[in-house]
Every structure is written in C-alpha cells, then in structure tokens.
Amino acid sequence: MNYQEIGNHSKVTEFILVGLSRQPTSQLALFWALLFVYVVTLLGNSAIIVAVWGESRLHTPMYFFLGNLSFLDLLFSTSTVPLIMMNAFWDFPTISYNDCFTQLAFRTFLALTECFLLAIMAYDRFVAISTPLRYPVVMNVRVCRGLAVASWTVALVVTVVPILTVPVSFCGRNAINHFSCEVQAIFKLLCSDTSLLEGLMMASATISMPVPLAFILASYLRIVAAVLRIRPTKARLKAFSTCGSHLTTVAIYFGTLIYIYLKPQNKESQDGDKIFSIFYAAVTPMLNPLIYTLRNKDMKSALRKVFFKAKSVE
C-alpha cells in the first residue's frame, strides 16, 4: 500500500509481530507443531506435483488442476509458516514495512487464486459428469491452460489494485497483534480514512469469494441433477466419488475463510483467532494432498510408481 504521512506523525518503517510473545511457554510447542505440519505439506504436495508431471495416466484436466492446487499450497504455506517458526524463538520480532506488505500482497494473491482454481475444478467435474463424451473436446489442453492462467491473472489484478491505489497512514502505531502481516490486524493500526480502501477490498472480496463459491454450488447442483439421471446405482456412486475430494477441499477452504474474515471482529485480535488463522495458513495446505490421495487409486498407484522408480535409481 502507498504510504501517506499525516501531520507530524512519525513514519512507520517496521512492524512488531506480537504473536505468542506474551505466552512464551507456548512458542516452543508452536514451533515443533508447525515444523511437523510444514514438512508433511512439502512432502505431500511435492509428491503430487511429481506424480502428475511424471505419470502419463495422470495427464488429464482433473490432475492438471490438482497439480496447480498443490503448487499453490506449497507457495502459500512457504510464504507464512517458515517466518512464524523463525519468530517463535524471539519475543516481539519485527518485520520491515516493505517486507510486511510484500508478504501481505503475496498471501492475498495466492488465497484468491485458490478460490478461482477451486471454481474451475468444479466446472471440470461438471463437464466430465454431464457430458462425458464431449469432455476431451471441451476440456482440451489449450482450454485447461487458459483457465489456469486466467485464475492466476485475475487474482493478481484483484490483489494489486487496492494495494497500489489507496494511500494509508499508521500514525506511528506498529504493533501487529498477529503472527504475520494479516489484513485485519493491520487494519486496526490505520488512522487514515479507510472508506475507499474498504470499498475496494469489499469489491475484491466479492469477486474472489462469494462469486466462485456461488459458481461451485451451482456446478454441483447441476452435477447432482446429472448423476440422478444415471440408472445403474454403481455408476451413480462412482460419479459422486469423483467429486468427494473436491467437495471436502471446498468445504474446508471456504469454511475457514468465512470464519476468519466474515465473522464479527473485536477491537483487538484474540489468541484463539490467531491460532485459527494458522489452521488456514499451515494445516489446510497439508490436508489437500491427504484428501486427494487416500481414496484415489490412480494417484496412489502413480505415487508408488514414482517412489519405486526413485528407489531403483538410488
């Protein structure tokens, strides 16, 4: 965000991240918990990317988008978790103004991209189930790449516009009651008029959350209608099972976003809210590989193939 100094207030050059600094006994436990989660996230998402890239049977639209999702989760987790782990060893660690807003912009960009990508994955499932014979034509390589690029591009535009166009001032207040540069925690430090910024952010949030979620729900209503027309019960259950992983991911991701950003906010962030935000930043990217592999025979087979191939090379 542009900086605009007001009156004689000193310019903010760095922020203090409060985190759990007031609860030092919890910091070490937080570090080890995050270390475990981050390692599982790296291994799980990297394995999916390698499997999708290396196994020819997974060169389909569904797995192409799943590879994009895993790459997104890797970036999102890496943009936040290592910093929180490092800061767990310090009381009231600091982060520079530029680094703080770079992190904020990057995390927002990745979060919005995932919203759009999950909507595209719902559309992919709809086409696959409702028009299976035309599926290879409708969801060809060119279309899949175009949709993926569009999700990243739209998310970038929606992120950059509010950050670059609206000047803000902190009036010397720089203690962020959070583990990282979170939008809501930073908002509480502003003393400049935020009406324009709030309007732009509301427009961005509407484009990136309710619209994709409404599209996902509409897609699944049409999927349900298409599946109910399938006569053999076994085929009907198989069609539903291909959507189960995606629906679980949508429920966890959007459910967490709604809880964090749409529930009523107190003047000061509570430690419970800060801990819950870690679930969004760290645990959700870890869960996606588990959700997509535990019940997916093709993915488990591809992972075993990649693992044994790597072992034979050694």
Side-chain angles (χ1 to χ4, degrees), residues 44-46 48-49 65-75 289:
N45 285 290
S46 297
I48 287 180
I49 292 171
F65 294 124
L66 177 58
N68 270 263
L69 182 65
S70 293
F71 181 62
L72 249 175
D73 285 337
L74 274 179
L75 292 179

Side-chain angles (χ1 to χ4, degrees), residues 26-299:
S26 303
Q27 288 179 299
L28 188 59
L30 177 66
F31 171 82
W32 288 110
L34 287 180
L35 179 62
F36 170 77
V37 169
Y38 187 56
V39 169
V40 174
T41 300
L42 289 179
L43 293 176
N45 285 290
S46 297
I48 287 180
I49 292 171
V50 170
V52 171
W53 182 269
E55 178 55 51
S56 58
R57 286 189 305 168
L58 301 185
H59 291 173
T60 64
M62 182 177 77
Y63 292 109
F64 169 76
F65 294 124
L66 177 58
N68 270 263
L69 182 65
S70 293
F71 181 62
L72 249 175
D73 285 337
L74 274 179
L75 292 179
F76 189 79
S77 183
T78 301
S79 69
T80 304
V81 176
L83 175 66
I84 298 176
M85 290 169 57
M86 183 175 63
N87 289 343
F89 293 104
W90 299 87
D91 291 331
F92 301 102
T94 61
I95 183 172
S96 72
Y97 180 92
N98 290 334
D99 288 346
C100 181
F101 280 101
T102 299
Q103 182 193 65
L104 173 64
F106 191 61
R107 288 186 63 204
T108 303
F109 163 60
L110 295 175
L112 300 187
T113 303
E114 186 150 347
C115 290
F116 296 129
L117 188 60
L118 289 173
I120 291 170
M121 293 173 77
Y123 174 72
D124 171 69
R125 291 299 81 210
F126 163 69
V127 175
I129 292 173
S130 63
T131 55
L133 296 179
R134 296 184 62 242
Y135 178 62
V137 178
V138 176
M139 299 298 291
N140 58 58
V141 174
R142 185 176 177 182
V143 170
C144 290
R145 289 176 180 173
L147 289 173
V149 170
S151 67
W152 290 82
T153 304
V154 173
L156 180 63
V157 173
V158 171
T159 301
V160 167
V161 170
I163 291 177
L164 294 184
T165 57
V166 182
V168 296
S169 173
F170 293 91
C171 303
R173 297 188 297 169
N174 68 336
I176 299 177
N177 192 15
H178 217 284
F179 296 102
S180 59
C181 295
E182 188 71 23
V183 173
Q184 291 174 328
I186 291 176
F187 247 73
K188 293 171 183 174
L189 304 179
L190 298 177
C191 63
S192 55
D193 182 11
T194 60
S195 56
L196 176 58
L197 179 60
E198 288 176 356
L200 285 173
M201 292 186 68
M202 180 61 69
S204 299
T206 301
I207 294 171
S208 58
M209 284 181 57
V211 170
L213 184 57
F215 183 84
I216 291 170
L217 294 176
S219 296
Y220 273 103
L221 285 175
R222 298 186 68 179
I223 287 172
V224 170
V227 170
L228 291 177
R229 290 196 295 267
I230 300 175
R231 289 300 177 189
T233 304
K234 189 175 180 181
R236 186 182 299 173
L237 292 175
K238 185 178 180 181
F240 272 128
S241 69
T242 63
C243 303
S245 299
H246 180 256
L247 272 175
T248 304
T249 300
V250 168
I252 293 174
Y253 187 75
F254 280 96
T256 308
L257 281 179
I258 290 170
Y259 177 84
I260 293 175
Y261 294 109
L262 297 186
K263 74 182 184 68
Q265 294 294 313
N266 297 322
K267 188 175 180 181
E268 297 294 333
S269 297
Q270 299 297 317
D271 285 339
D273 293 338
K274 292 188 289 187
I275 295 297
F276 196 84
S277 71
I278 291 182
F279 179 88
Y280 165 63
V283 179
T284 303
M286 179 191 73
L287 291 177
N288 286 343
L290 300 177
I291 292 169
Y292 278 98
T293 56
L294 290 179
R295 295 178 57 195
N296 190 312
K297 294 180 181 178
D298 290 338
M299 181 59 70

Side-chain angles (χ1 to χ4, degrees), residues 4-21:
Q4 182 183 58
E5 193 169 352
I6 296 179
N8 295 321
H9 296 294
S10 58
K11 181 177 179 179
V12 172
T13 58
E14 66 178 13
F15 294 98
I16 299 170
L17 300 174
V18 176
L20 291 179
S21 296

